[in-house]
Amino acid sequence: MSYQVYKLMHMVGIFLLFLSLGGVALFTINGGTKSGNKWKAIAAATHGFGLIFLIVAGFGMMARLGIPHASWPGWVYAKIVIWLLFGGLLTLVYKRQSYAKFLWFGFPVLGFIAAYLAIFKPF
């Protein structure tokens, strides 16, 4: 696949990820619980598909950029850590309403950091 297809796939993954995290966070902030969420399976599937699109497209773009897997730059490792954080945050949002309120603002910050790393590749 071309670099542009991977980039589009990456963007769709971002949209799905933020859709699911934002929806669950708002649901929890408004007093909802995991057991009371009729859409939890759809939210979890959207979250999972978003993460899969992100990781597949991210590695595809790295291949198109010619970044060898044997010597990844530091920004790639940082992006993988952010990806892992986003993967675990869905569960954390359900744990407590106060976490959901904090993460409502934390999600865009993590997204900003990930975008900064991808655009500027600082290390």
Side-chain angles (χ1 to χ4, degrees):
M1 284 192 276
S2 71
Y3 180 82
Q4 288 78 14
V5 171
Y6 283 124
K7 198 172 196 177
L8 180 62
M9 188 175 169
H10 203 70
M11 295 296 289
V12 170
I14 292 167
F15 299 149
L16 292 173
L17 181 70
F18 277 89
L19 172 70
S20 63
L21 290 172
V24 170
L26 190 59
F27 174 77
T28 305
I29 288 168
N30 284 317
T33 62
K34 190 173 185 178
S35 61
N37 188 353
K38 297 176 188 175
W39 282 70
K40 73 178 178 184
I42 294 188
T46 303
H47 183 255
F49 282 123
L51 288 171
I52 290 169
F53 284 10
L54 284 168
I55 199 78
V56 169
F59 281 113
M61 285 190 290
M62 284 180 17
R64 294 292 168 244
L65 290 172
I67 298 172
H69 68 279
S71 59
W72 287 344
W75 65 268
V76 172
Y77 289 108
K79 293 249 324 175
I80 290 171
V81 168
I82 291 170
W83 181 84
L84 289 169
L85 285 171
F86 272 129
L89 287 176
L90 187 69
T91 301
L92 188 59
V93 168
Y94 275 124
K95 292 292 182 185
R96 289 195 189 143
Q97 191 178 36
S98 61
Y99 291 170
K101 288 177 183 177
F102 171 75
L103 290 172
W104 178 263
F105 298 101
F107 295 143
V109 171
L110 274 178
F112 173 83
I113 294 168
Y116 174 84
L117 291 169
I119 293 168
F120 295 106
K121 299 170 180 47
F123 48 89

